[in-house]
Amino acid sequence: MNYVKCFSVFLISVSIITGIAIPMVPQPQGWLEFPIIPGLEDKARNIFFHVPVAWTSVLGFLVALFFGYKYLRTKNLDYDMKSVTSAGLGLMFCILATVTGSIWAKFNWGSFWNWDPRETSIFILLLIYGAYFALRSAIDSDEIRARLSAVYSILAGLTAPFFIFIMPRIVGGLHPGAKGDTAGSTPVAQLHMPTNMRIVFFMSIIGFSLLFVWLFKLRIRAAQLENHLSNKEN
Amino acid sequence: MIWLNSTWALVVKDIRSELRTRYALNALFMFVVTSVATILFALREDELSPEILSGMYWIVIFFSAMSGLSRIFVSEEERGTSLTLQLIATPSMVFVGKLIFNCGLTLLLSSAVTILYMLSFPAFVVKSAILFIVTIFLGSLGFASAATIIAAIIAKARTKGTLYPVLSFPILIPLLMTVMKSTSRSINGDLLSNAFGDFQVLISYILVMTAGSILLFDFVWKD
Amino acid sequence: MYELLNQNQLFIVLTVILTIWFGIIWYLARLEKKIKKLESHIKKVD
């Protein structure tokens, strides 16, 4: 566990420093220079932070889905608690991703929100998290709540592939990898990045994922302590 | 054979009880009439583009469905008959029966809205009728398939009425986006072959939602 | 003074972001320590 903490701090700190401080030059040479992407220039640095945060919010949803599935199999309320904490963290990262995304959109494309397919899908993820918590707050019984929220998260997970893979193909958009973009590539829209940028990018993704694990474990332990204390009081 | 018979018996039971009280039918009908009337007052003689028309069409369908489709499960909970239903039928029978009922209800709803629109908006002239009919048909089925399982989920919650649209909207968004685009294409008079991509999305949505709901319904239904 | 800030914009951004980040890390480490203390306390009492 200590490795997770140290690694996440190290990776994110390094990616912050390298992501922000490394200069962007027209003809990069060696490892300490990034190329200038036409149209983006310095704003491209956002990619080291915005995309990993968005990825972590999806990770939070997938983990919540997984623990929901485990709950349905074993009826162990422990899994339900893990599902909620993951969903809470996922919601926080989703809000961060939407905010960083819209700030970047303002600087790059002119307005804060454009209903581009990727923007729409992060908005829908936000709605799904909101609906998940609304459902949870509307049910009193622990067991029924756990069951229904697990079912809803699986149902929402079923509609997710429609957004990720189909929508950007059909409806053209601003994000790279959409229909009108000739330079984009794979379904998950990886920019053609030179190796040094790619390293910083992956460091950031792994760093944020490990940060998610650390936050997750912290919240689980705190919830277990609370449970323990409330059990003792009874 | 027994399965089909029982499922059909459940559908007939729902239709009968619905015709007796006509609660859902009335709710849907009044909702549709009031929304179309409001839109009429707001827009009068303005020239409406196909996108706006199709958007409004599906808005009316969406909100009418949200007010009417949850009746099938909520009425069971309210009348206390859900326990009986759990005893006499397997979950798959119950779900497919309710699904068929909801499909019929949404098809009825969309036909009513189509007729009302044709009467009220002179601009609502559909140039490719087949495209329109197929889109409406697939869209209504998709609506029913997603809305039924969500109705089953909220039937056990407290604030049913407000929770239903909140839960359904994220699930229905892929359907809404595709179907609105397809409808505006049909108003514009596009070729049938161009819309096959949209039809693929709609059909796969219906299949995925129905399969997922049938599998998940067991967990929602049994206490 | 203003020109100095204007020239080194990038490093100003870097400093602000790093401060926020290390603040978050310090807060998380503090939480971690507190939870560990509580857990060992509970283990001792049991």
Side-chain angles (χ1 to χ4, degrees):
Chain A
M1 189 57 211
N2 273 325
Y3 289 115
V4 171
K5 290 182 273 186
C6 298
F7 250 126
S8 78
V9 176
F10 173 70
L11 286 174
I12 297 187
S13 315
V14 169
S15 47
I16 290 179
I17 296 177
T18 51
I20 294 187
I22 291 186
M24 297 195 135
V25 292
Q27 302 287 6
Q29 266 127 348
W31 277 55
L32 285 182
E33 288 173 346
F34 288 153
I36 296 186
I37 301 171
L40 279 181
E41 300 123 29
D42 252 337
K43 294 171 276 196
R45 298 184 195 279
N46 239 315
I47 206 177
F48 298 126
F49 308 112
H50 169 64
V51 179
V53 171
W55 154 247
T56 322
S57 74
V58 174
L59 179 68
F61 180 68
L62 291 175
V63 170
L65 205 150
F66 171 71
F67 280 122
Y69 164 75
K70 289 287 273 208
Y71 172 80
L72 288 180
R73 294 276 252 147
T74 64
K75 299 284 191 253
N76 182 0
L77 275 173
D78 218 16
Y79 288 128
D80 177 56
M81 178 188 59
K82 294 194 171 155
S83 191
V84 205
T85 49
S86 178
L89 285 176
L91 177 63
M92 178 185 84
F93 278 103
C94 191
I95 295 177
L96 277 177
T98 321
V99 171
T100 51
S102 64
I103 294 180
W104 196 6
K106 174 70 179 166
F107 283 108
N108 234 3
W109 303 320
S111 64
F112 282 113
W113 197 259
N114 280 311
W115 293 115
D116 165 77
R118 273 254 155 64
E119 285 180 345
T120 314
S121 29
I122 200 77
F123 174 66
I124 290 164
L125 190 58
L126 213 53
L127 284 181
I128 291 179
Y129 277 130
Y132 180 85
F133 283 111
L135 177 64
R136 286 194 75 92
S137 62
I139 305 176
D140 296 319
S141 148
D142 275 336
E143 224 193 69
I144 300 184
R145 181 171 50 203
R147 235 181 339 128
L148 292 185
S149 37
V151 168
Y152 186 71
S153 63
I154 295 178
L155 211 57
L158 283 178
T159 61
F162 284 97
F163 293 114
I164 303 176
F165 293 106
I166 299 183
M167 287 282 108
R169 300 287 149 216
I170 299 185
V171 183
L174 298 161
H175 269 93
K179 207 165 68 160
D181 187 356
T182 47
S185 47
T186 67
V188 202
Q190 262 183 318
L191 278 175
H192 291 302
M193 277 193 280
T195 324
N196 51 355
M197 278 181 89
R198 212 174 279 226
I199 291 186
V200 179
F201 182 70
F202 279 115
M203 276 204 298
S204 187
I205 282 196
I206 297 177
F208 271 102
S209 310
L210 293 179
L211 181 69
F212 175 81
V213 172
W214 185 14
L215 288 171
F216 181 72
K217 288 254 157 88
L218 273 180
R219 287 189 70 170
I220 295 284
R221 284 156 67 198
Q224 281 171 343
L225 282 177
E226 246 188 270
N227 262 346
H228 197 148
L229 286 176
S230 63
N231 282 345
K232 267 202 164 171
E233 272 170 36
N234 295 346
Chain B
M1 205 47 215
I2 297 183
W3 192 87
L4 276 173
N5 276 338
S6 325
T7 314
W8 186 246
L10 281 172
V11 177
V12 171
K13 161 197 95 74
D14 274 323
I15 296 180
R16 279 229 188 98
S17 71
E18 192 49 50
L19 285 176
R20 213 181 298 150
T21 59
R22 266 170 260 180
Y23 187 93
L25 283 176
N26 278 338
L28 287 181
F29 186 64
M30 286 319 297
F31 198 97
V32 167
V33 169
T34 43
S35 6
V36 175
T38 316
I39 299 176
L40 259 182
F41 293 149
L43 292 171
R44 289 294 157 132
E45 300 299 325
D46 290 351
E47 258 311 302
L48 294 170
S49 71
E51 284 81 23
I52 297 187
L53 276 175
S54 72
M56 282 193 318
Y57 182 94
W58 287 102
I59 289 180
V60 174
I61 299 238
F62 173 70
F63 283 107
S64 319
M66 290 298 105
S67 69
L69 288 185
S70 58
R71 284 296 304 164
I72 37 159
F73 281 109
V74 173
S75 64
E76 303 280 352
E77 293 285 326
E78 282 173 0
R79 284 183 263 175
T81 53
S82 63
L83 209 53
T84 325
L85 211 52
Q86 278 183 36
L87 287 173
I88 61 171
T90 66
S92 54
M93 279 195 256
V94 174
F95 184 72
V96 177
K98 304 278 184 189
L99 182 63
I100 294 178
F101 180 75
N102 259 349
C103 283
L105 205 53
T106 19
L107 285 172
L108 201 65
L109 174 67
S110 42
S111 345
V113 177
T114 316
I115 296 175
L116 267 179
Y117 261 51
M118 286 189 167
L119 292 174
S120 346
F121 297 109
F124 195 72
V125 176
V126 175
K127 295 209 187 79
S128 23
I130 301 184
L131 187 53
F132 185 72
I133 292 178
V134 177
T135 312
I136 302 297
F137 182 70
L138 290 178
S140 313
L141 289 187
F143 246 103
S145 58
T148 314
I149 183 69
I150 305 280
I153 292 181
I154 59 137
K156 312 232 181 252
R158 268 186 293 120
T159 54
K160 305 182 222 275
T162 44
L163 203 57
Y164 191 43
V166 171
L167 287 189
S168 313
F169 186 56
I171 313 275
L172 285 172
I173 289 188
L175 180 74
L176 280 174
M177 289 180 82
T178 320
V179 102
M180 280 195 210
K181 207 159 132 293
S182 190
T183 318
S184 61
R185 270 223 193 101
S186 72
I187 297 181
N188 263 331
D190 212 355
L191 295 166
L192 191 62
S193 47
N194 283 350
F196 276 149
D198 287 338
F199 289 162
Q200 274 177 335
V201 174
L202 288 177
I203 293 180
S204 54
Y205 183 84
I206 296 176
L207 290 175
V208 167
M209 279 291 120
T210 315
S213 342
I214 293 183
L215 291 174
L216 289 172
F217 186 68
D218 272 351
F219 295 107
V220 178
W221 189 233
K222 283 268 195 282
D223 261 336
Chain C
M1 181 58 187
Y2 184 64
E3 266 154 35
L4 189 77
L5 285 178
N6 221 9
Q7 280 291 331
N8 309 3
Q9 268 172 353
L10 212 56
F11 292 104
I12 304 285
V13 170
L14 191 57
T15 326
V16 170
I17 291 187
L18 276 181
T19 323
I20 298 178
W21 172 239
F22 286 132
I24 294 178
I25 297 300
W26 176 76
Y27 175 66
L28 285 180
R30 206 181 66 156
L31 270 182
E32 176 85 40
K33 243 186 276 172
K34 257 198 208 167
I35 290 189
K36 231 189 239 165
K37 207 170 65 152
L38 275 174
E39 279 176 341
S40 63
H41 178 86
I42 284 194
K43 237 183 34 192
K44 240 190 288 169
V45 170
D46 279 341

